[in-house]
Amino acid sequence: MNRTSASGWLPRLLGAALLLALLMLLGTTRLAAQPHAPRPTRAYTRSAHLMGSHFTFTAVSDDDSLAWQALRAGLRETQRIDHLFSYWDSTSQVVKINRLAGIRPVVVDQEVYDLIERTLKISQLSGGAFDITFASSDKIYQFDRQDHARLPDSATVRNSVRRIGWQKVQLDVATHSVYLPEKGMRINLAGILQGYGVRRAEQLMKQMGIAGGLINGSGDVYCWGKQADGSAWRIAIGDPARPHSVSSWLTVSDLAVVTAGNYEQYFTVAGKYYGHIINPHTGYPATGLRSVTVICPDVELADALDDAVFVLGPAEGLAMINRLKGVDATVITDDGQTLVSKGMQLNPYHSAAPVGAPVTAAKP
């Protein structure tokens, strides 16, 4: 009887064990089939001192490795451009062009040739308000934030800009050469270089798979995609009259917001501000504006246009912006008034008066 009981108990035990193993296998399979929890999307940031300014690179991603790789690539690309176009680096092609002014043309990389060619087109567009040969001027001002007794005499000022003239720059498309025909002529691409660096870094990061990001090159901002929480980017515009405060703000995506101001490098005469942006036609510092912000899809173009608007002044500068498709601007005048172009959608902390079109600015 014990044998009979044992023979009946053993198959039942083996059956139960097989059933348990089968259930465990099914459970393991179900667990393996469960997808991994999605990695959180976050913003990764890296900063560096480039082109004499503070740069911040931000990548929005759910992939740590990709984000850091893209940030390093964007930074290295900006460093490469800084070296290639530097006004100070003795090995740069721009320095070589300046050194051989009045002597012979200089064959340059296609990239250098193309950027210089684009600057000359912007000079033509702005009537010479933007001019990379501004570097040919004599240094007759000291922008030390101090009150000066007087401006230099008119003869000194006129003489200081005698070599300036974008029309003088000679490009040879067949040889990719650049020639400055007068000794003492110089070019300096500082007015567009940060924007170009931001544009190239942004393009590279996008190609690597970064769907959202922001690059800020000391006021030259380009943002694309969305923030980590899915919202659009909000860009603040500083108030020249109140340092470290905000005058207005914009909600943007896939756009450049570039701001230039004369409230950091300046001097005063009898209480009047004279900023570091020089009118290449007159030799005098551009007056009438404290801040210019240009908004458009091309950060390189925006970087050049803000200087042009500064030189042209509020009325003529905004009139130029109003003629350009897809470009908007807001300016702050010497007396603190905020003006906007006809298509500008601004969120100011005080009222803004549109120039050149019957558009009312948004209320705070």
Side-chain angles (χ1 to χ4, degrees):
M1 180 162 180
N2 289 338
R3 287 194 296 270
T4 303
S5 299
S7 62
W9 169 78
L10 184 58
R12 288 197 299 272
L13 180 61
L14 291 174
L18 288 171
L19 179 61
L20 179 60
L22 181 59
L23 290 172
M24 291 177 66
L25 179 61
L26 289 172
T28 304
T29 303
R30 288 193 187 98
L31 288 173
Q34 291 292 326
H36 291 291
R39 287 175 291 189
T41 299
R42 54 173 287 228
Y44 300 80
T45 301
R46 185 165 182 176
S47 297
H49 189 77
L50 300 163
M51 301 181 181
S53 301
H54 182 76
F55 272 68
T56 301
F57 302 80
T58 300
V60 176
S61 179
D62 61 0
D63 186 330
D64 291 34
S65 178
L66 174 63
W68 290 120
Q69 185 180 2
L71 290 172
R72 287 192 295 270
L75 193 153
R76 285 195 300 268
E77 176 68 359
T78 311
Q79 288 174 324
R80 182 192 68 81
I81 290 168
D82 188 11
H83 176 75
L84 183 63
F85 291 93
S86 173
Y87 182 73
W88 306 105
D89 188 332
S90 61
T91 65
S92 83
Q93 295 187 15
V94 167
V95 169
K96 189 174 182 180
I97 292 169
N98 293 340
R99 188 185 299 129
L100 293 175
I103 300 174
R104 63 177 175 85
V106 175
V107 176
V108 297
D109 293 350
Q110 183 70 53
E111 181 180 11
V112 176
Y113 184 93
D114 289 346
L115 183 58
I116 292 174
E117 185 178 43
R118 291 198 298 274
T119 69
L120 300 183
K121 290 179 180 178
I122 297 171
S123 294
Q124 184 176 22
L125 171 71
S126 65
F130 177 83
D131 191 333
I132 60 172
T133 69
F134 78 91
S136 305
S137 64
D138 298 331
K139 301 298 184 287
I140 61 174
Y141 302 106
Q142 187 175 2
F143 301 101
D144 54 7
R145 304 188 185 187
Q146 303 298 314
D147 188 49
H148 295 188
R150 63 185 66 84
L151 292 170
D153 65 83
S154 58
T156 298
V157 175
R158 284 196 304 272
N159 189 56
S160 71
V161 294
R162 67 191 182 282
R163 290 184 295 264
I164 291 179
W166 64 271
Q167 303 96 327
K168 300 176 185 179
V169 180
Q170 298 176 16
L171 302 181
D172 187 332
V173 67
T175 61
H176 296 147
S177 67
V178 182
Y179 181 48
L180 306 180
E182 298 178 19
K183 286 191 175 182
M185 277 192 74
R186 295 181 294 272
I187 60 172
N188 187 340
L189 281 79
I192 199 171
L193 196 58
Q194 288 185 178
Y196 177 58
V198 169
R199 182 168 70 83
R200 289 289 301 129
E202 163 260 321
Q203 290 174 339
L204 185 60
M205 290 172 67
K206 276 185 178 178
Q207 290 169 4
M208 294 179 68
I210 300 300
L214 182 148
I215 303 175
N216 183 354
S218 187
D220 290 9
V221 176
Y222 185 85
C223 53
W224 69 97
K226 301 291 184 181
Q227 297 193 65
D229 62 1
S231 62
W233 299 95
R234 180 174 289 191
I235 310 298
I237 299 172
D239 187 344
R242 290 174 285 275
H244 311 297
S245 64
V246 174
S247 167
S248 54
W249 55 273
L250 299 162
T251 301
V252 296
S253 186
D254 301 295
L255 280 174
V257 181
V258 174
T259 298
N262 69 355
Y263 44 88
E264 293 183 352
Q265 299 181 58
Y266 66 89
F267 65 88
T268 60
V269 174
K272 183 175 181 178
Y273 277 84
Y274 293 91
H276 69 286
I277 298 175
I278 304 296
N279 185 328
H281 299 306
T282 67
Y284 287 98
T287 59
L289 294 172
R290 300 295 307 283
S291 173
V292 173
T293 299
V294 176
I295 299 92
C296 76
D298 187 342
V299 64
E300 176 190 308
L301 176 62
D303 193 19
L305 289 178
D306 63 358
D307 286 348
V309 172
F310 245 111
V311 170
L312 292 170
E316 193 176 347
L318 287 177
M320 177 189 70
I321 294 296
N322 286 335
R323 292 192 296 268
L324 301 178
K325 184 178 181 180
V327 181
D328 286 300
T330 177
V331 304
I332 300 176
T333 64
D334 281 345
D335 60 5
Q337 187 179 14
T338 299
L339 309 173
V340 297
S341 61
K342 63 183 180 182
M344 187 72 185
Q345 298 296 318
L346 188 66
N347 301 289
Y349 289 100
H350 50 78
S351 60
V355 168
V359 179
T360 303
K363 297 298 182 182

